[in-house]
Structure formats: structure tokens, C-alpha cells
Amino acid sequence: MMSDWSHGIVLAASILSWIIVGLGTAQTVVYLLQLLIAGYALSQRPPVARSALLWHRYSDVAPPIALIVPAYNEELNVVESVHSMLALEYPNFEVIVVNDGSRDGTLERLVEGFRLVKFHRPYEDALEHQPVRGLYSSPMNERLIVIDKQNGGKADAQNAGINVCRAPIFCVIDGDSILEPDALMRAAQPFIDDPERTIAVGGTIRIANGSRIESGRVREVGLPKNLLPLFQVIEYLRSFLMARLAWSRINTLMLVSGAFGVFLRAEVVAVGGFTRGSMGEDLDLVIKLHRHMLDKGRKYRIQFIPEPVCWTEAPESLAVLGRQRSRWQRGALECFFRYRSMLFNPRYGRVGFLGFGHMLIVDVLGPIAEVLGYILIPAFCLLGILSFQYLLAFTALIFVYGVCVSVCSLILEEAELQRFPRASHLVVLTVAAVIENFGYRQLNNFWRVKGWWQYLRADQNWGEMTRTGLSEKAK
Amino acid sequence: MLWLIWSISVFLSIGSIMVMLLLILRRALTGRRAEANAHARQHLLRALISFSQSRDRETLKKAILAEPADVALDAGFEFLALLRGDEHDDVITIFNECGLPVHVGAQLRKSNEAVRIHAAEMLAALRSANAVADLLSALDNDRSREVRIAAAIGLCDLGALPPLVITLRKIGVAGQRSRRLIELFKRFPQQRISELRDYAARADTVPFVKAAAIDALARTGDPQLGGFFCRAARDAAPDVAASAVRALGRIGHPDASVILAEAMASSDWAVRSDAAEAAGRLGLPAFIAPLASLLDDDAWTVRHAAAKAMRAIGPNGERALREIASNQSSRSQRTASLVLSEGPAV
């Protein structure tokens, strides 16, 4: 009887461990494939042309773009951010700042900073959003429009901006982010080269902590002094240069970041804009765009291009970072389950199989399997239920492959883009790419599991995202 | 299997770290070269600025020849864009005398895509003896459509563009979707404009190319093209019809009122919107009635364009718009009052 019990326990432990190792292996294979595709895509991309040349080449044919900037309690940075946006190098653009019912002095700072006056501008109520309290224009700069509306969240604010904008293409950007002067020109390039098929373009988001920032511009690229944002530098490289580039190459890009994405307005309106109240409104929108275009049987491209860069502030405290990561996880789960009918649905081709398959392995099952593995596999080995080989394989998948993937994304960066100015930066980043797998990665998975729990409890709280302000970092 | 996972992972991780170390080493070495190039570039820019004052050709020549050719080209081409008239021509002559175009020609043949595109632009700007031959060769043989388009634009600037049919065939079908074609057509020589019109009139021309050609033709303001635009406005492809109605709005035509009224009834909203805008530009009172009916259009863009066009027609249009705004609540009434209220709040 006892032997039956112990046999059963060993069998159950072996099956569970094989599931964990199997999911880990699947995740690793996905990452390695992404690396290969991203490496190929980068090697095929022509080296970057200087911005002066881009202007010379494209300024006459560049389509009008509206920059939509949702702002909630951004009084610290908003005037400087808007000044830097108005100084972007693009021939035909307007900046639409949406004050989403801020409780601080965001609107007052804008009114003072740009001598705003109320004005009427007819616009289409194509997308739903909270009531607009007023529109403002600036006699100082006719490119600037400010929408003051009741609070409704980021997606709601973006929808209001889309309604008011008149350009055929719009770019969403976070109010506290900094676009490089030529970022719009670079992001517009796919709309110039392939205007009939391109419906959305994403650019790279980079961490500004540690860089020298003056007058709303990144003057000198540096590295964060704290470990937490330093690890995020590696994470962002992995996410943008590896994952998004690879998915873009095979036209299965599932996410264009809400912190910097360019979209064709007509198509976004056709899918109902950003889903209000969504935790992952950017992911949600891109999935909707895929579904819409595939349902209509239309040829389209959703592209990621690495050159246009938007700088953002990374959280420097564990509490804020944890809230952010849990929210991202909830967003991914919400979108996955909302559009679950697309999973492995032949009607949606690559998006259904590869895009949703990736979400299933990496976002839905990945964190649970990994956290379970941390607890169960060492425990089983210590209790003598499983052999040491299981622990070795699990360690390989989590730590050793992790180092490989992190370092390889750094290799992609250095081999093709070289945005870090000094060799010493690369040394620091290489060390960070190794050690982030020992502690930081585990913490991240804990936050993601927490996100799972919050999702199951239908917790819709965004949590406070405390920022110190990018301009402060310059001082 | 479990051992295999471990072994491969260790192998890949050590391999990736080794590659990264090599890249760091490479960076340390290339960093010095980049610094030297930046220094050379500054030196050359100073020489170019001095030349603007002294016009001392020999000193500038010496400065150019003292630096690597690619650095000289890099700094020189950007500086050239700031110059006009004799000074511009003098600097080009000096660049040619220093043999820089030969280096650009080599770049056009051998470098990566971004450099090849830039080389095509530089060759056209330098107007050297080898420019036309090199650009023709790039148009014929280059594997990148963007380089072929850049070569065509360069040839256009040099007045040596092959017949349009041949040029577009060489650019290829994929290249015929790029907005860069608009740039090419905009630079099309005035004396060959009939060639562009004939190409746009062909039944087998890609709609995107046709639309781009019509936009370029409209910029010439040639009233003789009116008849062609009227025919194109009835094209089945919405892109073509839209560009033709825009063109009619620019240059006008005796039949424009009939054609634009037809276009305002098109099933494509972009055509209706462009037709309304064109009507506003022409400002004929005959358009008031069809524009008023568009105030109830399903598409906001069309309603907005129609209301703005009515305002643009002048006192009659504005009066009609105010009348509609004072009517009972309807979509037309709302559109009219919204557009009338545009401007500073009171």
C-alpha cells in the first residue's frame, strides 16, 4: 500500500516536473527563434540614415501626423514635454494634449506655459469617451491643441484625442516621455514606403534614467546608477530588439507600445479605438486591428522599426515596478481571454497560431510554471522524489538560457544599432544581463503571478505610478 | 534529454558572452576611429566656412584632399545644402576636381542600401561627368527598389531620366506603391509633362502611380489638363478619382461643376470629401445645393469638408449654412452649427 502511494507521488511529481520543464523548454525555444529572426531582420535592415538626410528625402511626401499625448497629473513635466514635442523635426504635425481630469495643476501649467485660450473646433464623435470640458489653442504655437476632459483613463483620453485629430495618421505617446527629434520622421517611413498596407508602426522605448536631459531632449545617453532601472534597460532591449523585431518580420506583431505607437486613424476608428478601461489598451488595439484586417481579408502591415526612439522614465522602487508589472500581466491576460476565440483559429493564420500561441506560452502559462518550478522542483529533489537531473535541467532553462537570451539581445543592439556611446556601458550592461537572471527575474515572475491573482479577482486598480520627472534627472 | 538541455544551455551562454566580449573589444577600437573622423569632419567644415569668406579654392582643395573621402563627402554634402548661387557651384567644382564623385560612384555600386541611396543623391547634386552613367546603371541593376527610386529622382534632376514607361518598369511593381514616386513626379521636367499625362492615362497603370501622377500634373497649373482630370475623376479606382477631383479644384474646368457634383455622390467617402473640398476651393455658388446635401453624409470627414466648403464659397454659402444651422435638430443642422462655431470661444 505504502509503495503504491510512493509510486503515485513519484509519478505525479515526474509528470508535474515534465510539464514545468516542457513549458520552460517551449518558452526557451520561442526566445531562441525570436533571436534568430530578429538577428536576420536586423542584418537585412539598411543602416540608419542621418536625420538631416531623412528630412531632405522625405519631408515633401511625409503625411500629416497628430501627436496624441494623454496627461494625468503630469504638472511636473508637462510644459517641458510639450515644448520638446513641438520642436520635433517633422514637416506637418499637430500636438494634441489630453488632460484626463488631472487632480493636480496639469491644465493650469499648460494654460500658463502656452497662454492657452478656449476655442471651438468641430470634431467627430467617432469614439466614445468621457465628456470634454473644453478645447484650448495657443496663440504662441498653432500646432498645439489641449483637450480638457473628465477623467476616464488612458484609453479614454486617447480616444478623445483621436476624435479631435484631423490628420490621417496619429501617434500616441506618454506625457512623461521624450521623443527623439527625428523619431516621427523615422516612424513615418513605412507610411511613405508602403502607404497602402501599413496601418501601424511601433518604435523603440528606451530607459532615460541616467541619461543627461536638457530642455526636454536627451543630450547624452548614460546608464542608470541603480540596479533596478539598469535591469530594465536589458529587459527593454530584449523586448524591443528581440521580440518585437522578430514578430514584425513575420507580420505577427501583437503589441505596439502605447508609450510610442503610430497608427492609421481610419483603421483605428473602424475597430472602435482603444478599449476603455482596459489594462492593456495598446495590446488590445493591435489585436483588434489584426482581427479586423484578417476578417476583411485585406493585406496589411503592422511594423516595428528599431530606429525611432522614445525615452521614458523607469520605476526605481520595487513597489512601483511591482505594480507596473502586475498591471501589464493583467493586461495581457485580459486581452488573451477577451480574444481567446482567435487562439489556434485557422481563420487568423499566423496571428492565431504564432501570436496567440506565444501569448499562451509566455504570458499565460509561463509565469505560473516558472514560479511552481522554483518551489516544487528543488523540493522534490531534496525529498528524493526526483533525480538531480530535473533540477539541473530546470536551472539550465531558467538561469543559463536566461543569460544567453539577455546577452544575445545586447549583441543585437551592439552589432546593429550601437546606441550606447561607450564601451564601458557595454561592460556594465553585459554584467547586468548576467546577474538579472539571479533574483530580478524571479521577482518579476512573482509580480506576474500576483497579476494573475489580481486578474482572477477582477481587480481593476491601476495603482499609483510615482515619477520623479525626467528633467529632474538632469540635475 | 535533461542533460542535453543543460549542456546546450551552458554552451550557448558561454558562446554569447564570448561574442559580447569581442563586440566590446571592437567598440573600444572603433571608438578611436570615430573620434578621429569627427575631428576631421570639424576641420573640413571649418575649411568650408572659411571658403565662404575667402573663396580660396586651393586652400579648400588641400583641406578636402587631406581628409578621408567619405568624411569629406559626408561633411561636404550637408554643407552644400546650405549654399546657393556661385558659391554652391564653386564648391561643386572643387569637389569634382578633388575626385570625390568617383568615390561616390564606388559607394553606389558597393556599399549597403542606406549608403547607396545617399550616393545616388550625392551624385545628382555633384553633377559630375560620371553621374548619369552611374545612376543609369543603378536604375538598371540595383537590387533595392529604394535605391532605384533614388537613382530615378537623381536622373530626373540631371535631365537624363529615361522614358517614364521604362523608368517605372525598372523601379518595379513593389516600388510603384511608394510615396517617393510623388517626389519623382514632382521633379518631372516641364517639357516632358505630356509623357507623364500619357502614362497616367494608360489603362494598365497602377492606381497609386496614376493618382501620384495626377497630383504632380495638378501642380503645374496647366489649364489644358482639365479635360484629362475630368475623365480621370470618373475612374473606378477611388484613389485616382480623388486625386483628379483635387486637381480640378486646383485648376478648374468648364465641366468641373458637373464632374464634382457627380463625385460628391460617389460611394467612396474619400472621393466625396475631396470633391467637397475642391468645390470650396473653386467657390462657385452652384455647389451650394450639393454641398448642403453632404452635410447629412454618414462620414464625418465628408460632412466637415462640405460645411467648410460652404463657408469658403463666400456670403451665399455662409448664409445657406446659417439657415441650416437654425433649422430643427438634424445631422445637417449639427454639422452646420459646429462648423460655424469654429474659432475662439466667446
Side-chain angles (χ1 to χ4, degrees):
Chain A
M1 187 70 177
M2 269 306 277
S3 120
D4 280 356
W5 263 99
S6 61
H7 179 73
I9 288 171
V10 171
L11 187 67
S14 300
I15 291 171
L16 197 58
S17 303
W18 269 111
I19 290 172
I20 291 168
V21 169
L23 275 169
T25 311
Q27 207 166 328
T28 305
V29 169
V30 168
Y31 287 149
L32 291 178
L33 281 176
Q34 281 179 353
L35 266 174
L36 288 176
I37 300 170
Y40 176 73
L42 269 181
S43 71
Q44 294 297 303
R45 275 192 72 75
V48 182
R50 279 201 315 278
S51 48
L53 296 178
L54 283 180
W55 181 271
H56 166 79
R57 202 173 292 155
Y58 294 122
S59 58
D60 280 354
V61 289
I65 292 184
L67 206 61
I68 297 175
V69 192
Y72 178 69
N73 292 348
E74 305 273 4
E75 65 173 5
L76 206 59
N77 280 330
V78 73
V79 173
E80 196 170 358
S81 292
V82 173
H83 271 301
S84 85
M85 287 170 204
L86 288 169
L88 288 173
E89 292 163 6
Y90 195 79
N92 192 355
F93 74 103
E94 62 180 1
V95 177
I96 300 177
V97 181
V98 189
N99 175 44
D100 189 32
S102 296
R103 286 176 295 167
D104 66 356
T106 301
L107 183 65
E108 289 72 20
R109 293 289 95 74
L110 285 167
V111 169
E112 283 163 23
F114 297 96
R115 287 191 267 141
L116 296 179
V117 287
K118 265 200 167 180
F119 87 124
H120 291 295
R121 165 156 151 158
Y123 59 89
E124 179 183 19
D125 278 325
L127 304 172
E128 285 187 7
H129 54 77
Q130 290 293 316
V132 169
R133 294 189 287 228
L135 295 183
Y136 296 81
S137 67
S138 167
M140 288 162 64
N141 194 322
E142 60 183 21
R143 288 188 191 279
L144 176 64
I145 291 169
V146 174
I147 303 171
D148 180 34
K149 64 179 277 291
Q150 288 178 18
N151 181 257
K154 188 176 171 185
D156 193 81
Q158 285 168 329
N159 282 349
I162 295 168
N163 274 350
V164 171
C165 92
R166 286 178 181 169
I169 293 169
F170 70 86
C171 169
V172 285
I173 173 179
D174 282 350
D176 55 351
S177 301
I178 295 173
L179 275 185
E180 290 206 336
D182 59 4
L184 269 190
M185 190 59 109
R186 293 189 187 282
Q189 212 175 320
F191 290 100
I192 295 169
D193 291 340
D194 194 355
E196 290 178 322
R197 290 188 304 172
T198 307
I199 61 166
V201 171
T204 303
I205 313 286
R206 287 189 173 238
I207 306 281
N209 307 42
S211 296
R212 190 165 63 84
I213 295 160
E214 283 171 14
S215 311
R217 290 275 163 89
V218 175
R219 301 287 172 190
E220 190 183 337
V221 177
L223 288 180
K225 295 194 172 43
N226 296 338
L227 266 185
L228 216 51
L230 188 64
F231 291 148
Q232 290 172 73
V233 172
I234 300 288
E235 264 189 311
Y236 275 54
L237 283 181
R238 201 167 48 221
S239 163
F240 285 91
L241 279 191
M242 189 184 83
R244 295 197 195 171
L245 197 58
W247 290 121
S248 170
R249 177 76 200 182
I250 53 175
N251 202 18
T252 315
L253 185 63
M254 300 295 277
L255 177 60
V256 169
S257 173
F260 178 36
V262 187
F263 299 87
L264 206 57
R265 183 182 182 276
E267 300 306 339
V268 172
V269 169
V271 300
F274 289 95
T275 302
R276 297 193 300 159
S278 173
M279 287 279 145
E281 78 291 337
D282 41 9
L283 175 64
D284 185 283
L285 176 66
V286 176
I287 295 175
K288 281 199 290 190
L289 285 172
H290 276 298
R291 191 176 61 173
H292 171 70
M293 300 306 278
L294 291 166
D295 281 342
K296 299 266 177 201
R298 284 170 53 191
K299 286 185 179 166
Y300 70 102
R301 295 255 335 136
I302 296 178
Q303 283 200 56
F304 167 78
I305 43 175
E307 289 86 14
V309 170
C310 173
W311 295 90
T312 193
E313 182 191 357
E316 295 207 354
S317 80
L318 282 174
V320 177
L321 182 63
R323 281 199 292 270
Q324 184 195 55
R325 294 309 156 92
S326 299
R327 195 180 71 236
W328 286 0
Q329 179 65 22
R330 274 182 284 161
L333 294 173
E334 184 190 276
C335 292
F336 179 82
F337 289 110
R338 182 178 294 147
Y339 303 104
R340 61 187 177 278
S341 61
M342 291 173 76
L343 176 68
F344 301 139
N345 185 338
R347 178 190 175 94
Y348 297 107
R350 279 185 291 202
V351 174
F353 282 92
L354 297 178
F356 270 83
H358 171 261
M359 281 176 82
L360 176 68
I361 292 171
V362 175
D363 295 320
V364 179
L365 301 175
I368 295 177
E370 194 166 324
V371 170
L372 273 180
Y374 293 135
I375 301 163
L376 295 180
I377 292 189
F380 290 155
C381 289
L382 282 174
L383 293 170
I385 299 172
L386 289 179
S387 72
F388 178 67
Q389 284 187 6
Y390 283 89
L391 188 60
L392 211 57
F394 182 70
T395 309
L397 288 170
I398 300 305
F399 300 100
V400 193
Y401 272 121
V403 169
C404 168
V405 170
S406 301
V407 174
C408 281
S409 44
L410 205 52
I411 289 174
L412 288 182
E413 197 320 304
E414 177 55 16
E416 299 294 337
L417 299 175
Q418 301 185 355
R419 299 297 296 251
F420 294 102
R422 295 187 200 140
S424 60
H425 289 159
L426 299 177
V427 176
V428 173
L429 286 170
T430 309
V431 174
V434 174
I435 59 175
E436 67 142 352
N437 291 282
F438 304 91
Y440 180 72
R441 176 179 172 147
Q442 289 69 30
L443 204 55
N444 231 322
N445 273 294
F446 167 73
W447 290 324
R448 292 174 71 190
V449 171
K450 196 172 159 194
W452 242 115
W453 174 243
Q454 288 167 342
Y455 172 75
L456 292 174
R457 290 175 56 223
D459 185 346
Q460 289 292 305
N461 184 17
W462 270 61
E464 286 289 316
M465 179 69 189
T466 318
R467 295 187 189 275
T468 52
L470 284 173
S471 52
E472 288 296 304
K473 296 190 178 304
K475 293 171 186 169
Chain B
M1 171 71 178
L2 295 171
W3 270 109
L4 192 67
I5 291 175
W6 171 256
S7 320
I8 295 175
S9 68
V10 170
F11 173 75
L12 286 177
S13 292
I14 292 174
S16 63
I17 291 172
M18 297 306 291
V19 172
M20 193 62 218
L21 291 177
L22 285 176
L23 286 174
I24 293 171
L25 194 66
R26 184 186 78 164
R27 170 61 83 87
L29 295 174
T30 54
R32 282 183 202 157
R33 201 172 63 203
E35 263 177 42
N37 281 350
H39 184 73
R41 187 183 151 86
Q42 276 186 350
H43 177 244
L44 194 67
L45 283 172
R46 273 198 294 271
L48 282 160
I49 292 166
S50 302
F51 175 77
S52 299
Q53 291 161 349
S54 68
R55 295 297 181 97
D56 182 349
R57 298 163 62 94
E58 289 310 313
T59 311
L60 181 58
K61 262 180 158 175
K62 269 185 204 159
I64 292 171
L65 291 170
E67 307 300 351
D70 49 349
V71 176
L73 280 166
D74 191 44
F77 185 66
E78 265 184 50
F79 192 79
L80 209 54
L82 305 173
L83 302 180
R84 296 289 180 275
D86 291 348
E87 198 180 348
H88 180 265
D89 295 344
D90 281 351
V91 172
I92 285 180
T93 309
I94 294 169
F95 278 9
N96 278 296
E97 285 169 6
C98 291
L100 294 183
V102 179
H103 186 77
V104 185
Q107 283 184 338
L108 184 60
R109 286 187 297 276
K110 292 177 187 162
S111 302
N112 64 53
E113 186 183 332
V115 175
R116 294 205 307 278
I117 293 172
H118 187 35
E121 290 163 353
M122 283 195 289
L123 269 181
L126 293 175
R127 298 176 178 274
S128 60
N130 64 327
V132 171
D134 285 350
L135 289 170
L136 280 172
S137 165
L139 182 62
D140 277 342
N141 305 318
D142 202 285
R143 59 188 178 281
S144 156
R145 67 178 170 119
E146 293 303 324
V147 178
R148 295 196 299 272
I149 293 176
I153 292 173
L155 285 165
C156 202
D157 288 351
L158 293 171
L161 189 75
L164 191 58
V165 182
I166 296 171
T167 303
L168 287 172
R169 199 176 60 227
K170 286 178 176 171
I171 286 173
V173 177
Q176 292 183 25
R177 283 201 303 257
S178 170
R179 284 177 68 89
R180 288 268 284 156
L181 279 188
I182 298 171
E183 188 69 27
L184 172 65
F185 293 159
K186 264 170 57 185
R187 292 160 180 246
F188 214 74
Q190 186 66 37
Q191 63 274 20
R192 286 176 59 184
I193 213 75
S194 59
E195 195 184 333
L196 187 58
R197 185 198 58 207
D198 293 346
Y199 191 80
R202 284 168 56 150
D204 60 345
T205 301
V206 177
F208 183 85
V209 176
K210 221 181 233 194
I214 290 170
D215 279 337
L217 287 168
R219 283 169 196 265
T220 65
D222 182 355
Q224 291 183 336
L225 292 166
F228 167 66
F229 294 148
C230 285
R231 286 190 295 280
R234 289 175 169 141
D235 198 287
D239 283 358
V240 179
S243 62
V245 295
R246 283 197 300 272
L248 280 174
R250 265 175 180 261
I251 66 161
H253 188 268
D255 292 340
S257 53
V258 179
I259 301 284
L260 290 183
E262 270 176 39
M264 283 186 223
S266 163
S267 58
D268 188 272
W269 68 264
V271 178
R272 295 199 301 276
S273 170
D274 281 339
E277 222 174 294
R281 197 186 267 250
L282 292 176
L284 301 175
F287 289 126
I288 293 175
L291 285 171
S293 66
L294 283 186
L295 294 179
D296 190 36
D297 197 280
D298 286 339
W300 158 257
T301 314
V302 179
R303 297 201 298 274
H304 182 242
K308 283 190 76 171
M310 286 179 77
R311 285 191 93 172
I313 283 173
N316 289 344
E318 180 119 5
R319 199 177 309 120
L321 201 60
R322 288 193 186 284
E323 268 175 36
I324 295 167
S326 61
N327 286 346
Q328 282 199 329
S329 179
S330 66
R331 192 151 67 180
S332 302
Q333 183 270 333
R334 280 193 300 279
T335 309
S337 52
L338 272 172
V339 169
L340 284 169
S341 70
E342 184 163 11
V346 279

